[in-house]
Amino acid sequence: ILFFSSLWWVLSSCPSVRQPVLRLLDSQIVQQGSLDEPRVRRVALPGHGAAVLTSVCAALEDPSILVQRGVLDLLVGHFPMQSDVLDQGQWQTLIRTAIKLYGRRDMSLTRRLHSWLKVTVGGEHGGEHGGEYGWSEGEAQH
């Protein structure tokens, strides 16, 4: 637990090492298993998601496009909204922060953001929580 707590803290507090920390988080979560498993969630997501939310939002707001790509890859791979990894208010904060990336007008960020939203709203995970978070399924796919 201390290892992951430290990684999330470094992600939120140390912009110069965010990119390698994101890669390490991804590989460690994969190594532990799925975040859907309570044991993995207890170890990888300390503090009931608050530290994770702060860290992910900080990385999404980082001026480096490479860091933003990395955090979107982490979201696509491990944070589908159908899961209860975060509560509804935390998801809303995360989505609001992520949507701001459209302003960057970078195709790789837009593609990753669309990928995350499609998976979230009705893609491979089959989720239908879009309306719950403030948009209809049709709006989220456009």
Side-chain angles (χ1 to χ4, degrees):
I1 294 175
L2 182 61
F3 176 70
F4 277 99
S5 293
S6 298
L7 287 177
W8 292 114
W9 180 81
V10 168
L11 183 63
S12 68
S13 304
C14 304
S16 63
V17 294
R18 282 186 177 143
Q19 193 174 357
V21 168
L22 284 165
R23 285 194 303 265
L24 184 58
L25 276 166
D26 181 54
S27 68
Q28 290 297 312
I29 292 171
V30 167
Q31 189 176 41
Q32 292 289 322
S34 171
L35 288 178
D36 291 332
E37 299 173 31
R39 176 194 61 79
V40 175
R41 187 177 302 172
R42 196 171 42 255
V43 171
L45 304 176
H48 305 290
V52 174
L53 178 66
T54 301
S55 301
V56 170
C57 287
L60 286 168
E61 293 172 339
D62 193 282
S64 168
I65 288 179
L66 295 176
V67 170
Q68 292 171 337
R69 287 178 191 168
V71 74
L72 286 173
D73 289 341
L74 187 73
L75 290 173
V76 168
H78 303 291
F79 289 85
M81 274 192 274
Q82 308 78 311
S83 72
D84 56 354
V85 172
L86 301 172
D87 66 34
Q88 184 174 352
Q90 291 170 329
W91 280 118
Q92 289 173 347
T93 300
L94 180 59
I95 292 166
R96 280 189 202 109
T97 303
I99 293 296
K100 293 175 188 175
L101 294 178
Y102 282 119
R104 293 290 302 253
R105 296 181 186 244
D106 180 272
M107 194 58 164
S108 65
L109 293 178
T110 301
R111 184 173 39 84
R112 285 170 171 84
L113 191 53
H114 280 194
S115 177
W116 181 53
L117 292 173
K118 283 176 96 173
V119 168
T120 299
V121 175
E124 67 187 51
H125 295 289
E128 297 177 359
H129 288 322
E132 186 176 322
Y133 296 102
W135 65 82
S136 69
E137 186 168 333
E139 290 175 284
Q141 291 180 350
H142 295 292

